[in-house]
Amino acid sequence: MLRRSLWATLVTFIAGALVPSIPVEAGPDPAAFINNLACQLQVVARNTSVEERQAGFRELLHEDFDVPSLGRFVLGRLSQIMTAQEQQEFLGLFENYVVATYSDRLSEYFGNGAAPRVIGSRLDLDGVIVSSEFYGGSWPSTAGAIRVDWRLTRHDGMYKISDVIIDGLSMAVNGRAELEGVAERNGWQPRAILAVMRQETASALLR
């Protein structure tokens, strides 16, 4: 079974990668892209309806987060043993799992007033990395602050989030490692791997 702790961590911190519903153009100040995230997430979090939260988050994912690339990266070498149809199913399950898990955690996490604070940025091979600190406590205390880096790449003149790095740990890399663990425990059988994904996604949707 997929370890819920890792996927929950991935989804929770993807929160910081979301941006306004109107995409921000890739300009000289990528920090502005991240600085807009808190109010947008709080708007979605205020929806009392589970369906509305999920719909709002899915819309933001499609507009501002490179979910297909992240899903393909997480899939990794499993793409060599899956048919095109099986890969497509995996990508759909991956997105649904992210949406279902995150929309449930959105209210509790951002409802406590947590927000990222941009502290710098640097050029990356494919774009730029924006560094921030994430506070779970009262502002502006730095107690318990977590370093979160957002990897931004350009797509058609706009920024997209391609990875979230927490205290030096890439969530994309961890996601791939976890999925490969699932594959090893299931004999690298695509049908068995997808069955685990279906079960995890169904469980997330029911929570």
Side-chain angles (χ1 to χ4, degrees), residues 43-130:
V43 168
V44 176
R46 283 197 291 268
N47 285 319
T48 57
S49 165
V50 173
E51 291 78 10
E52 289 181 359
R53 286 200 303 271
Q54 290 183 358
F57 177 55
R58 191 184 297 275
E59 182 178 354
L60 288 173
L61 277 181
H62 287 171
E63 291 177 347
D64 306 313
F65 197 83
D66 196 356
V67 177
S69 293
L70 176 59
R72 287 192 293 270
F73 181 88
V74 171
L75 187 60
R77 56 178 172 160
L78 271 71
S79 62
Q80 300 174 11
I81 63 172
M82 286 186 174
T83 66
Q85 183 176 356
E86 288 168 338
Q87 291 181 47
Q88 192 64 33
E89 181 180 358
F90 168 81
L91 292 175
L93 289 168
F94 177 80
E95 178 182 318
N96 287 338
Y97 186 87
V98 168
V99 169
T101 306
Y102 175 75
S103 61
D104 183 52
R105 298 176 186 277
L106 176 61
S107 295
E108 64 181 75
Y109 203 77
F110 274 80
N112 292 330
R117 177 187 180 188
V118 173
I119 59 175
S121 63
R122 65 185 185 274
L123 293 177
D124 187 45
L125 181 63
D126 299 319
V128 64
I129 294 178
V130 177

Side-chain angles (χ1 to χ4, degrees), residues 7 14 30 63 69 71 75 86 88-89 107 109 117 131 133 136 158-159 163 170 182 187 192 198 203:
W7 289 95
I14 279 178
E63 291 177 347
S69 293
L75 187 60
E86 288 168 338
Q88 192 64 33
E89 181 180 358
S107 295
Y109 203 77
R117 177 187 180 188
S131 299
E133 290 180 337
M158 295 180 292
Y159 285 124
D163 194 13
S170 165
V182 171
R198 292 189 203 101
S203 296

